[in-house]
Structures are given as structure tokens and as C-alpha cells.
Amino acid sequence: MKAIRIPGGLSFRAEPRAMAVVGGLAVLALAAGVVLIGTGDFTIPPADVISSLLGSGSPAQDFIINELRLPRVLVALLVGASLGISGALFQSISRNPLGSPDVIGFGQGSSVGALVVIVFLHGGTVAVSLGALVGGLATGVAVYLLAWKKGVHGYRLVLVGIGAAAMLTACIHYLLTKSTLVDATRAMVWLTGSLDGRDWAQVWPLLVLFVVLLPLVLVYGRPLRMLEMGDDAAYALGVPVQRTRTVLMLCAVLLNASATAAAGPISFVALTAPQLARRLTRATGPNILASACMGAALLVVADWGAQRLFGESTLPVGVLTGMVGGVYLLWLLVTERRAGRI
């Protein structure tokens, strides 16, 4: 670890291994994105994809790449990065590797909001996205208030969130029973989590929210690192604990809800990305940038796998992340049990 000073008397600490991991994961995510853009019924070599992105492609390639495939890949990158950051924040705040938004109810809350719009209001794509965003935010507020007892602490947040997830899952099943066949089919497609048909209308809201929230999260990175030592230690070091926790939870909920609104509830990316990033960097703290790059790389690679690994059958990306993430969750539970933490 070394300190880097910049003009104006400011400085920050940099860990060479962590910086190398972030750079490597960013390159992997972008390279996988280029490969994914070239994947489809009309295959385009990576060199031609890059030429088209730089403005030197043929008209036919420009249309396929810039209008049909690039928005999908950008949504995958932004959704994966948002889920990675959200998972890193929740796991750091709760000081628990199971403190992921899709485990403690926030993903289910977004799903309930979306299904209410689909089943009762018969809303379009924009309305469903807004419903998912509102549902995620409402769940975040409810879990925060229910977990509050002279502050919000790790295992209490996880336990309340797991209870909320169970109740919200029951609400999802109830809403499906009240829907028509057409609405139930549409709801099931949305609940699977998919990047099919994503266009620029999903890219811009995600990008704006991500650009606004990422700097705020990075500014709170140092206080968050201190929170991992416990509230008493953080208080002693001058950290405004509850304000820091509230701001970061709000950022995490917004990132998770916006990702769910754009692509549906894609499982386990928020759970696995921060843990894999931490194992690669071997650094303490939330590893915000590493988690973002890991989440982006995981989702883009998973989308490529969902399109290419099952023959002519194309799976929604949420199916593949669910299968792989379920295996990871079992491994994590066994590891935590052996370590005596659960």
C-alpha cells in the first residue's frame, strides 16, 4: 500500500494489487462486451465491432451494433456494476457476506412493485420500471425502520431482511394467482431477469444514476471501511455512524432498484461479485471499484453464456446467474458454518 498525493494537498491510499485487479476486471468486462456485441444470428468479428464503435464500420454493421446490440451490452455492464456496488455496500454495512440485496428482500420488493403495475395497472415498460424502483425504495425504508434499535446493526439487518424477503415472495405468488394468463406470462418473463430487447431507453436512466451515485459512494469509502471495525471504533475515529450508514444504504437501494427496474431481478450477482473481488484484491474494506468491475464482467460473461452454451436455446441471463449463484451460496454457507460465523 502506498500514498498518492495530488495537487491541492489531497492524498489517497492506493494498493497496487487492488489497482491491478480493477484494471484487469475492467479490461475483461469490456473485452467480453465486444465479444457479446458480435454474438448473434449475424456474427461480427471483434475487430469489425471495434471499427464500427470507432465510426469506421459499414452501414449494415453500424445499425446492428449501435442500434440493436450495443444498448443491451451497456445495460449489462451498468446493471452488473450497480449490483456489484450495491452488494458490496450491504455486505460492508451488515458486516456479513450474506448481506446481499437479493437475500435480504430488496430485489423481492422491486419485483412486487413491478407486478402490481403489471397485474393491476396493466402498465407498459416505463411504468413497470417505475413500479420496480418504487417497490425497491419502499422495501429499503421498511427494512431499515424495522431493523432500527438504537441504530441499525449487521445481523439484525440481515434477519429482518430475510423475513421481509419471505413475506414479499409470498406477495409475488399471490399477485401471480390474481393475474390473467397474459399478465402472468409477462410477469414470469420479467421475474426471470433478462436483457432481451433492452434499448437506449434503459441505458440513459441507469447511466445518469450510476454517474451520480458512484462518486458519492467513493467519498464515503473511508468511513465505510471504519464502520467495518464496529460502531464503537468508528465513533471513536470521528465517523458519524448513523448518517454514514443511512446515506450508503440509500445509495445501495437506489442502485439495486434501478438495476432491477432495467433488467428484472437478476439473482446472485450482488452476492457473489463483492466476495470474488475481495478474494482477488486481498484487501480489506468494501472494494467498491473492484466489485463494480467484477459485477459488470460477471453479467456480460453470463449473458454470453446464456446465448451460446445451450445450443439453439437462448436462456434469460437470470436463469444462468441463478444456477451458478445457487452453487456459490451453498459453498458460502458451508464456509461460514465451518468458520463458526453462522
Side-chain angles (χ1 to χ4, degrees), residues 51-247:
S51 296
S52 184
L53 292 175
L54 296 176
S56 303
S58 67
Q61 288 181 344
D62 287 345
F63 174 76
I64 293 172
I65 291 172
N66 296 321
E67 298 300 325
L68 301 180
R69 297 182 182 175
L70 180 59
R72 175 184 180 134
V73 172
L74 290 177
V75 169
L77 290 170
L78 289 169
V79 167
S82 297
L83 291 175
I85 295 174
S86 179
L89 292 176
F90 276 118
Q91 289 174 15
S92 292
I93 291 170
S94 64
R95 298 166 62 193
N96 191 318
L98 294 176
S100 171
D102 48 2
V103 173
I104 59 177
F106 297 99
Q108 291 85 345
S110 295
S111 297
V112 169
L115 288 189
V116 167
V117 174
I118 292 174
V119 174
F120 295 121
L121 304 179
H122 309 289
T125 302
V126 175
V128 171
S129 297
L130 289 175
L133 189 63
V134 172
L137 288 172
T139 303
V141 172
V143 169
Y144 186 85
L145 293 177
L146 289 172
W148 179 274
K149 185 179 180 182
K150 298 180 180 179
V152 176
H153 301 283
Y155 275 100
R156 190 186 305 134
L157 177 66
V158 173
L159 290 174
V160 171
I162 290 174
M167 291 187 292
L168 291 168
T169 300
C171 290
I172 291 172
H173 294 158
Y174 170 77
L175 290 170
L176 288 174
T177 64
K178 301 298 291 184
S179 61
T180 63
L181 179 60
V182 173
D183 288 338
T185 303
R186 183 184 173 198
M188 287 305 300
V189 171
W190 189 88
L191 286 171
T192 303
S194 175
L195 296 168
D196 291 343
R198 297 306 181 263
D199 55 26
W200 291 104
Q202 282 84 34
V203 173
W204 297 120
L206 268 175
L207 181 60
V208 170
L209 194 61
F210 187 82
V211 169
V212 170
L213 293 180
L214 179 60
L216 180 60
V217 170
L218 292 176
V219 166
Y220 275 88
R222 180 178 173 83
L224 181 58
R225 186 188 295 265
M226 295 177 183
L227 277 179
E228 290 188 346
M229 297 186 295
D231 287 2
D232 293 338
Y235 273 123
L237 293 170
V239 176
V241 171
Q242 295 307 327
R243 186 182 71 187
T244 300
R245 186 176 284 127
T246 301
V247 170

